Amino acid sequence: MLKRLIQKDSIEFDASTAAALRKLAFILLTLVLFITTTYALPILTRFRPWVPGEAVPLARLFQPYDSSLLPAFAEAAALAAPDQDANRRKSRERESKVKDKAGSPAARTRIAPEEIEGLTQQIEDPEGRALAPFYQALLRTAERRSKAITRVAHFGDSAVAADSITVTVRRRMQKRFGDAGHGFILIARGQMHYYHMDIRHRASDDWQLYPIVLLSLGTDWYGYGGVQFRSAPGSWARFATSDRGEVGGRASRFEIFYQIYPGGGKLIAKLDEQPPVAIDTRGPQKQDAWFTLETSDGPHKLSLRTDGRAPVRLYGVALERETPGVVYDSLGMVGGRAERLLAFEREHIQGQLDHRDPDLLILAFGGNEADNRWLDIARYERNLRKVVKHLVVQGNRPACLLFAPLDQAERDERGEIRTIAKLPEIVETQRRVARAQGCAFFDTYQAMGGKDAMKRWYRQRPRLATSDFRHATAAGYERIGDMFYKAILKGFADHLSKGKAAGGSKQPKTSDLPNPKGSN
Amino acid sequence: MLFNSLDYLLFLLLVVGVYWALLRYRALRFAIIFLASCVFYMAWNPAYIILIFFSICVDYIAGRAIFTAGSPRVKKNWLIASVACNLGLLGTFKYFNFFCSATNDIFSLFGFDIPVPYLDVLLPVGISFYTFQSLSYTIDIYRGRLEPTRNFVKFSIFITFFPQLVAGPIVRAVQFLPQLTGPPRLNKEKVGEGLFLIATGLFKKVAIADFLAVNLVDRVFDDPTGYSSLEVLIALYCYTMQMYCDFSGYTDVARGSAMFFGLELPENFNRPYQSTNPAEFWRRWHITLSSWLRDYLYYPLGGSRVKPARAYWNLWFTVFIVGLWHGASWNFVLYGILHASAMAAHRYFYRRAGRTRETVDPTALRISKTAAMFHFTVLSRILFRSTDLPNAVDVGGQLLSGSAFLFHIAPSIWTVLILSYVSHYLPRSWYEQSKRLFVRSPAPLQGIALSGLAILLAAVASRQVVPYIYFQF
């Protein structure tokens, strides 16, 4: 067989075939030259056929979802691997110490100093009220009260879309307070650099995506995650609990977020090997709807498939459990800018948030805005206020927090890596808006080291920032997630401490906690 | 793997490169094409490659058995086995659920609600294409028009050749297999022609079909009540052009890609909207399907060489099957009935008027006939595009509502629509001339032209994935 395969024929290239192949090669060379110029000349950026961070062409068609991989920063992660391993070991040792102390419900409401060791930046909440409802919910969860689930909705740009920062915060919070499920995930990722860890997710590539960041539908109904999905005949999506790691391995409830509308088709939902359920999305008028499939607590998989040619409009799926714990919705939008959230039709997004009922809403934008040299800061501030009002209406419900962008840098004319001039202004604006709107504020920019932090993060070995000076590496994002998690714990400890001073019963021992910059 | 993706471009270049590098290794060369075709198909759903293997094995064995069988009865039995297996696959995966629900629909009209089985399977991409292609092989052997190939891989390439695997054109074995016999040959003209076809195919798909779909057609069919009658009509014009550009664009890329392997695929379209009557339309639209059904269904039924009533039935039934081939739903049943009846009516009046093929109409009459046929096509497309019958009724109702505002038609839609129709009605010689001009240009100029096209397409490309319409058939 092999012999037959490699048996040579007496065929030679005839002159015309050889000339034709030379011509083809020459034409392709011209095309390659053109493609190269799109990478060399910034003005041609939009014509790049592939952008670093996207999955590798061809390989992506067969790539099974790997929850341990951050594809965008795989190279940097590999660079960082040896030290990361050491860091992880240290981190695990620290966590195991904490776990020993925080195992019982009583201990869960007490923040041990080791838990916030290395705290660099606190959450700014001068009045101490902005996050009170969130901390109250967290306290109930920590006390293991029945069905006490604390939900966080973390909206953001590309730093969130790949679950880069949120994965660390979610894992830490779920390990400490309890894993109440993975939370919300979009139906498909299309061409977006959108990934979620601690869940297995695949979808056909024929879903039509209408992301709010592109204002694809004008002001309309984009769903909780900011993307409306419309099916083609036979479109499918699958979601399964994670088969590795300490969190995300169990679920007892799958909730499908979808839209009913006059032309709606049928959606077939199949949970594990149970008989499929048909969901009719046709209705006399457009309205949001949710369909819940309940099952026993454990590892499960949900398959969705459209039936017939009528398209269904979906928003996403949420995986939850009945057990007390934290659900952390990572709601990233590639290329997201805060003001794009104004394209959520108001009643629709309020309905989505009311239904999801998060205890804390985080807005993590600003990095993409920094690219705009002509950004009108006054207008930005006005719009940001509008966005906060758009999403947070009922007084202090949900609690809100503005999460400042990472340092964004570029090379100046001398080749030095410098913070983009607009960035500090954006951070300050966010701080002002947070105060004015009764939200808390986390200064990621300062947490990274302030001015020119990206340069230092980039030069660090292993690298903590990527060569576009806009994003962190996997190790960098993990560090930011760690800083934010510790800031939450510190805020929680302070909240409990105030509760005690006011006659509350829970008293964390905070006397020996560090008091870093940015404290109240 | 969509043709208008970076993945396909890289895939094609990789396979073409390896193919020509292995020029002297015939078996290895064939193996590479076959493997590449499998990879191409498996990028959609790896599991369903088994169905193609099944089809290949059945028809390879049946083909040889028919050829070597001693008696006509044995030959016939093998042919029946091949037809049953292929149509069985198609019936199971494409039509089973529809027939069950249709049965239920009919019974429910009389007040009975019978429980019907439901098969929880996806429609395998391209199944309607490759089953027909595979069938032509065994039928042609049975008719003595073709000798079976001994080479299993060669036969597998005929069924799975990736440029035409999922949406045609439907190639006959007599056209394709002989091309694999000799050493592959290429020349500068074929390279130029291949590139020209790929470029025009991508332009049709990305700049016209997807643009019209995303910016008007999908919106109107999603919620027709939000648009005026005039806007719905414009959307139908847009959809008519979208469908042509989508499908013919796919065929162009498929034919262009095949040329790089030294292979020729048949043409599938010949400016169908220039047709003056239904018969001409089906000779110009999806030519390989129409001719397949003509040769393997209409003629065996007796064609027109039977009694008039039977001849009309043969024609009606064949065109009805063309309609039903496109999909398993009541829409396509009605679509088939509509076109089949139009075809039968056309034949009746054609004969009654004593016309022959040589009859030439005056220009004015020809233009009005073309306009009438075009609008018949446009209106029948409501059934084709609607997701189901209620949606078709909504679109039709809105079309007849009588409102005439044009708020939703952006200037860019007008531009694309008008330019695309103008180019469709230009003489074919203009297209041939521009192709010749490109083919004869020096390589650097061709490269620059393609780069320019890439810029244009990147600028107008929709950010959404818009799958080819015919992938669902």
Side-chain angles (χ1 to χ4, degrees):
Chain A
M1 175 77 177
L2 188 67
K3 214 173 171 182
R4 274 191 65 194
L5 265 180
I6 56 172
Q7 191 179 358
K8 268 191 182 182
D9 288 353
S10 56
I11 303 171
E12 292 294 337
F13 277 108
D14 64 306
S16 74
T17 304
L21 289 172
R22 271 199 303 276
K23 182 176 179 178
L24 181 60
F26 198 88
I27 294 166
L28 291 175
L29 192 69
T30 317
L31 267 173
V32 169
L33 271 176
F34 163 70
I35 290 168
T36 312
T37 56
T38 65
Y39 290 92
L41 301 175
I43 198 169
L44 296 175
T45 305
R46 63 176 296 203
F47 299 115
R48 291 175 186 173
W50 180 81
V51 182
E54 284 180 7
V56 180
L58 285 181
R60 63 187 166 197
L61 297 170
F62 298 93
Q63 198 171 29
Y65 187 80
D66 183 351
S67 60
S68 67
L69 189 69
L70 272 171
F73 312 111
E75 195 185 335
L79 264 175
D83 274 28
Q84 254 182 281
D85 286 347
N87 288 340
R88 280 185 186 142
R89 259 199 311 280
K90 277 185 198 167
S91 172
R92 270 199 295 274
E93 283 165 15
R94 210 162 43 230
E95 278 172 19
S96 67
K97 272 190 206 170
V98 170
K99 212 173 177 179
D100 292 342
K101 292 187 180 183
S104 68
R108 282 172 195 264
T109 58
R110 192 172 297 133
I111 309 299
E114 303 93 278
E115 291 187 76
I116 49 176
E117 194 181 294
L119 175 74
T120 51
Q121 186 76 22
Q122 285 197 53
I123 291 169
E124 296 174 29
D125 182 8
E127 306 289 323
R129 286 203 295 260
L131 296 189
F134 165 64
Y135 292 139
Q136 281 301 117
L138 200 57
L139 178 61
R140 284 192 294 277
T141 299
E143 289 170 343
R144 311 292 292 165
R145 292 195 192 177
S146 169
K147 296 185 179 177
I149 294 176
T150 301
R151 286 196 193 87
V152 180
H154 193 138
F155 289 91
D157 50 26
S158 51
V160 179
D163 208 10
S164 310
I165 295 172
T166 40
V167 65
T168 304
V169 190
R170 183 173 59 241
R171 282 178 181 170
R172 300 277 177 88
M173 290 196 77
Q174 290 189 334
K175 276 189 216 168
R176 195 191 187 286
F177 295 99
D179 172 7
H182 177 80
F184 182 87
I185 182 165
L186 294 176
I187 292 294
R189 65 184 187 87
Q191 303 295 317
M192 299 186 297
H193 181 56
Y194 176 87
Y195 298 91
H196 266 216
M197 310 298 128
D198 304 323
I199 185 170
R200 287 175 292 152
H201 173 219
R202 285 203 77 179
S204 56
D205 58 7
D206 51 1
W207 291 93
Q208 287 197 20
L209 277 67
Y210 294 85
I212 195 167
V213 293
L214 301 177
L215 303 177
S216 334
L217 300 166
T219 300
D220 208 303
W221 297 17
Y222 292 95
Y224 181 56
V227 185
Q228 188 190 106
F229 295 85
R230 295 182 185 177
S231 65
S235 297
W236 56 267
R238 293 180 196 132
F239 309 84
T241 45
S242 177
D243 55 1
R244 63 181 82 172
E246 294 177 60
V247 298
R250 304 173 82 83
S252 61
R253 191 169 58 240
F254 288 77
E255 189 170 36
I256 303 159
F257 290 53
Y258 68 102
Q259 188 188 100
I260 288 174
Y261 73 104
K266 270 191 190 151
L267 180 70
I268 307 291
K270 191 175 176 199
L271 189 58
D272 299 323
E273 300 310 315
Q274 293 175 22
V277 181
I279 304 165
D280 193 354
T281 71
R282 183 184 296 261
Q285 60 189 34
K286 197 162 88 166
Q287 68 179 88
D288 286 330
W290 295 266
F291 189 89
T292 306
L293 291 140
E294 306 225 357
T295 182
S296 58
D297 190 44
H300 295 287
K301 61 177 179 201
L302 171 72
S303 304
L304 300 180
R305 186 168 67 72
T306 55
D307 183 25
R309 280 161 39 92
V312 294
R313 294 178 179 176
L314 304 183
Y315 303 135
V317 167
L319 283 69
E320 288 204 357
R321 301 173 66 196
E322 289 297 313
T323 179
V326 170
V327 175
Y328 202 103
D329 292 336
S330 178
L331 305 167
M333 303 162 187
V334 180
R337 289 170 166 76
E339 67 176 12
R340 295 288 161 93
L341 302 190
L342 293 171
F344 275 127
E345 202 276 323
R346 179 145 173 135
E347 279 185 18
H348 158 72
I349 190 59
Q350 284 305 324
Q352 294 284 311
L353 286 167
D354 282 352
H355 180 81
R356 192 73 183 129
D357 195 22
D359 299 289
L360 172 63
L361 189 144
I362 300 172
L363 295 173
F365 296 95
N368 292 308
E369 284 91 332
D371 258 347
N372 180 2
R373 286 164 200 281
W374 296 278
L375 182 74
D376 177 351
I377 286 291
R379 184 169 176 272
Y380 174 68
E381 184 167 347
R382 275 197 307 276
N383 280 338
L384 191 57
R385 282 172 193 254
K386 278 190 206 165
V387 170
V388 176
K389 280 185 188 161
H390 202 60
L391 301 179
V392 186
V393 279
Q394 298 162 22
N396 212 9
R397 182 80 189 157
C400 66
L401 181 145
L402 297 191
F403 188 100
L406 278 67
D407 183 28
Q408 303 285 295
E410 61 188 358
R411 285 193 190 275
D412 64 13
E413 61 278 8
R414 296 168 64 187
E416 280 295 308
I417 302 164
R418 300 274 184 221
T419 292
I420 291 176
K422 279 285 174 200
L423 191 86
E425 288 183 66
I426 288 171
V427 173
E428 274 317 303
T429 307
Q430 291 192 354
R431 179 177 276 116
R432 273 200 306 278
V433 171
R435 274 194 192 164
Q437 304 297 121
C439 297
F441 180 65
F442 182 74
D443 193 342
T444 322
Y445 171 63
Q446 279 304 327
M448 286 176 72
K451 192 168 177 359
D452 299 335
M454 196 55 93
K455 178 171 83 177
R456 295 188 289 279
W457 278 45
Y458 179 69
R459 290 190 175 160
Q460 194 153 330
R461 292 293 179 273
R463 279 190 177 143
L464 296 176
T466 58
S467 55
D468 66 358
F469 313 127
R470 299 287 205 275
H471 298 93
T473 60
Y477 279 128
E478 191 176 341
R479 186 170 291 191
I480 294 167
D482 179 63
M483 290 191 284
F484 184 51
Y485 167 72
K486 284 173 178 162
I488 290 174
L489 280 196
K490 177 70 169 72
F492 184 49
D494 290 345
H495 174 81
L496 295 176
S497 161
K498 277 180 198 159
K500 161 84 181 191
S505 59
K506 304 299 174 201
Q507 169 64 41
K509 291 178 179 173
T510 54
S511 54
D512 51 353
L513 296 184
N515 192 23
K517 60 186 174 179
S519 57
N520 302 335
Chain B
M1 199 185 313
L2 298 177
F3 280 173
N4 52 329
S5 67
L6 178 64
D7 302 81
Y8 180 72
L9 180 69
L10 295 175
F11 179 79
L12 180 65
L13 292 179
L14 189 72
V15 181
V16 168
V18 175
Y19 178 80
W20 287 105
L22 297 172
L23 179 72
R24 292 177 192 171
Y25 302 89
R26 199 171 100 108
L28 209 52
R29 210 172 61 226
F30 284 170
I32 288 295
I33 298 194
F34 177 52
L35 195 69
S37 300
C38 293
V39 168
F40 178 85
Y41 192 78
M42 287 163 72
W44 169 72
N45 188 332
Y48 282 172
I49 194 77
I50 295 167
L51 298 180
I52 298 188
F53 285 151
F54 175 73
S55 214
I56 290 171
C57 291
V58 166
D59 290 322
Y60 178 77
I61 295 166
R64 294 204 59 78
I66 291 168
F67 189 69
T68 53
S71 72
R73 197 175 150 198
V74 177
K75 279 178 192 278
K76 198 169 184 176
N77 286 345
W78 275 107
L79 179 69
I80 290 169
S82 163
V83 172
C85 284
N86 283 294
L87 294 187
L89 271 188
L90 194 60
T92 307
F93 283 88
K94 187 165 177 177
Y95 295 104
F96 180 81
N97 284 336
F98 170 62
F99 283 131
C100 288
S101 68
T103 308
N104 192 28
D105 289 347
I106 291 165
F107 274 94
S108 64
L109 285 177
F110 301 101
F112 299 106
D113 189 18
I114 54 162
V116 289
Y118 178 81
L119 207 57
D120 188 23
V121 290
L122 288 174
L123 175 67
V125 167
I127 191 167
S128 310
F129 291 91
Y130 70 74
T131 48
F132 271 38
Q133 194 157 309
S134 198
L135 270 177
S136 75
Y137 174 76
T138 45
I139 297 174
D140 280 350
I141 293 171
Y142 178 78
R143 289 175 174 177
R145 291 179 188 168
L146 178 74
E147 281 192 19
T149 174
R150 284 174 173 276
N151 190 328
F152 180 75
V153 180
K154 209 162 123 179
F155 176 68
S156 305
I157 293 172
F158 160 61
I159 303 296
T160 62
F161 186 49
F162 69 88
Q164 47 83 233
L165 174 58
V166 292
I170 299 169
V171 188
R172 311 274 182 89
V174 282
Q175 297 167 321
F176 192 84
L177 287 175
Q179 296 186 54
L180 295 177
T181 307
R185 292 278 180 260
L186 202 58
N187 57 44
K188 285 184 180 179
E189 285 69 35
K190 288 290 168 201
V191 166
E193 201 177 330
L195 288 170
F196 186 80
L197 280 171
I198 291 176
T200 48
L202 289 177
F203 182 82
K204 282 180 188 172
K205 168 68 178 160
V206 176
I208 302 175
D210 289 0
F211 181 86
L212 295 175
V214 169
N215 291 297
L216 187 68
V217 177
D218 291 354
R219 295 177 190 187
V220 170
F221 275 85
D222 276 356
D223 183 12
T225 52
Y227 297 84
S228 70
S229 299
L230 206 51
E231 286 173 336
V232 172
L233 184 65
I234 304 285
L236 286 172
Y237 289 151
C238 286
Y239 180 61
T240 306
M241 182 47 72
Q242 178 205 338
M243 218 177 129
Y244 168 71
C245 288
D246 191 285
F247 194 16
S248 73
Y250 178 92
T251 309
D252 288 346
V253 179
R255 293 182 64 221
S257 304
M259 278 181 180
F260 294 151
F261 296 93
L263 300 170
E264 296 255 6
L265 299 179
E267 280 201 75
N268 222 5
F269 295 91
N270 182 15
R271 297 170 183 246
Y273 304 138
Q274 289 187 4
S275 310
T276 53
N277 56 62
E280 189 185 354
F281 176 79
W282 285 108
R283 284 198 299 271
R284 288 168 173 262
W285 176 272
H286 203 173
I287 298 165
T288 55
L289 173 70
S290 314
S291 60
W292 195 100
L293 285 167
R294 181 197 63 203
D295 293 348
Y296 298 106
L297 180 67
Y298 178 66
Y299 288 160
L301 286 173
S304 57
R305 294 178 183 177
V306 286
K307 286 181 182 170
R310 178 64 196 265
Y312 277 107
W313 163 252
N314 291 346
L315 181 68
W316 191 94
F317 183 68
T318 305
V319 181
F320 172 71
I321 292 296
V322 172
L324 197 60
W325 176 92
H326 286 91
S329 74
W330 286 114
N331 285 27
F332 289 108
V333 171
L334 290 183
Y335 181 79
I337 290 173
L338 198 63
H339 272 270
S341 306
M343 191 81 128
H346 167 257
R347 175 176 283 186
Y348 173 75
F349 288 112
Y350 181 87
R351 292 201 167 166
R352 206 176 124 177
R355 294 171 66 90
T356 63
R357 287 195 174 187
E358 282 72 42
T359 312
V360 178
D361 289 323
T363 309
L365 182 62
R366 186 173 167 75
I367 290 172
S368 46
K369 277 183 170 180
T370 306
M373 182 59 213
F374 172 71
H375 281 87
F376 172 73
T377 310
V378 167
L379 295 177
S380 69
R381 293 283 191 236
I382 296 177
L383 289 165
F384 207 102
R385 171 61 181 80
S386 297
T387 50
D388 48 23
L389 283 183
N391 186 224
V393 170
D394 286 350
V395 174
Q398 199 59 27
L399 186 65
L400 297 174
S401 68
S403 48
F405 59 84
L406 283 171
F407 298 148
H408 296 97
I409 316 291
S412 54
I413 294 173
W414 283 116
T415 311
V416 172
L417 186 66
I418 291 169
L419 288 180
S420 56
Y421 273 109
V422 166
S423 69
H424 189 84
Y425 285 100
L426 287 176
R428 192 182 162 101
S429 58
W430 289 32
Y431 169 80
E432 296 296 344
Q433 209 166 343
S434 57
K435 185 162 78 178
R436 270 198 300 278
L437 193 70
F438 179 85
V439 168
R440 287 176 189 168
S441 309
L445 208 60
Q446 288 182 354
I448 291 167
L450 292 174
S451 302
L453 179 75
I455 291 177
L456 176 72
L457 295 185
V460 301
S462 155
R463 293 201 180 209
Q464 298 159 32
V465 178
V466 185
Y468 283 94
I469 294 171
Y470 267 67
F471 272 23
Q472 59 187 289
F473 304 138

